[in-house]
Amino acid sequence: MDVDPRHYNHVAINDNDVHNIVLSYLVHNCYKESVESFVASTGMKQPADCLEDMEKRKRIFHCAVEGNALKAIELTEQLAPDLLGKNKELHFDLLSLHFVELVCSKKCTEALEFAQNQLTPFGKVEKYVSKLEDFMALLAYEEPEKSPMFHLLSLDYRQQVADSLNRAVLAHSNLPNYTAMERLIQQTTVVRQSISEENAKNGPPPFSLKDFIRS
């Protein structure tokens, strides 16, 4: 049988643990003012060099989300000089964002030249071939936003690349690239799914994270 939430309501939670989880989330997502307020109100010790690095990461993140990929690359190389050289896939994703911006701005000739100079070399590696084909196909459409590859122009795609970049920068700085809250949710999901699977014969409903959060 699945665990009734009432069975662990009595378990004490240390306030410092809760504070660290919240602070981890705020730092990860570059909420500088919120970090300052939270640290001041809880009396926690502010992480070393936290605010300065946060500002740099925040600027990089926003550049990527806004489609200013070349600036994001420049700032990343200043903060983590060897990161993109080692993480080719992330470098490709950032360059592809710039290509998309050129296509959306109807600068097709410039987009083609950029692709030939910056993206085509990645085609020597098999895993980039299909990605290259998708991006290059955008040039065939007068309205690329209506093409089968429209998702490459979306805010969601830019957000995905920006999130990957933020995680990579954190890892490069020997900081956790996932928040404590994300890790707890991942662990809770795995444990509860295992419990549900073990008790499947008794007929409990499949584990739902959404329902668990509401309970």
Side-chain angles (χ1 to χ4, degrees):
M1 180 178 289
D2 200 7
V3 180
D4 187 322
R6 289 173 298 180
H7 292 169
Y8 48 78
N9 281 342
H10 67 283
V11 176
I13 303 296
N14 189 298
D15 284 346
N16 286 335
D17 292 337
V18 175
H19 293 163
N20 283 323
I21 290 170
V22 174
L23 184 61
S24 166
Y25 177 83
L26 296 176
V27 170
H28 179 97
N29 291 288
C30 306
Y31 298 136
K32 180 183 174 183
E33 282 115 11
S34 296
V35 168
E36 292 175 323
S37 297
F38 188 72
V39 167
S41 64
T42 59
M44 297 182 69
K45 182 179 178 182
Q46 187 168 286
D49 302 322
C50 167
L51 298 182
E52 182 179 352
D53 287 347
M54 207 184 313
E55 275 297 300
K56 293 176 181 177
R57 284 192 296 109
K58 182 177 181 179
R59 192 176 175 200
I60 291 170
F61 181 87
H62 284 169
C63 284
V65 169
E66 291 164 5
N68 191 355
L70 296 186
K71 188 63 177 179
I73 290 173
E74 177 189 334
L75 294 174
T76 299
E77 288 175 341
Q78 291 174 7
L79 183 60
D82 57 343
L83 172 60
L84 297 179
K86 293 179 178 178
N87 194 331
K88 297 293 185 182
E89 189 164 357
L90 181 56
H91 193 196
F92 175 85
D93 288 341
L94 287 166
L95 291 172
S96 70
L97 288 185
H98 181 65
F99 173 80
V100 167
E101 287 303 306
L102 292 175
V103 172
C104 290
S105 301
K106 307 300 181 185
K107 299 178 180 179
C108 294
T109 301
E110 190 176 340
L112 183 57
E113 291 176 354
F114 180 81
Q116 290 173 335
N117 294 329
Q118 300 294 332
L119 296 179
T120 300
F122 286 88
K124 297 175 183 178
V125 180
E126 182 64 29
K127 68 178 180 178
Y128 296 113
V129 173
S130 61
K131 285 185 174 184
L132 272 171
E133 290 173 348
D134 286 345
F135 282 109
M136 295 305 295
L138 293 171
L139 291 171
Y141 295 87
E142 277 192 33
E143 297 179 281
E145 65 276 6
K146 296 181 180 179
S147 74
M149 289 69 64
F150 69 92
H151 64 282
L152 297 175
L153 284 64
S154 68
L155 175 60
D156 284 345
Y157 180 72
R158 296 196 301 274
Q159 180 88 37
Q160 178 185 328
V161 174
D163 284 338
S164 296
L165 178 57
N166 186 44
R167 294 187 194 282
V169 171
L170 284 165
H172 184 273
S173 302
N174 295 317
L175 295 171
N177 57 352
Y178 283 88
T179 67
M181 189 179 298
E182 288 173 303
R183 292 299 190 195
L184 278 172
I185 291 173
Q186 290 169 338
Q187 184 176 19
T188 298
T189 300
V190 170
V191 170
R192 297 300 293 270
Q193 283 177 339
S194 297
I195 292 174
S196 295
E197 289 170 6
E198 287 178 5
N199 298 309
K201 294 180 181 179
N202 298 327
F207 174 72
S208 166
L209 178 60
K210 184 177 181 180
D211 292 339
F212 175 74
I213 292 173
R214 287 177 174 176
S215 65

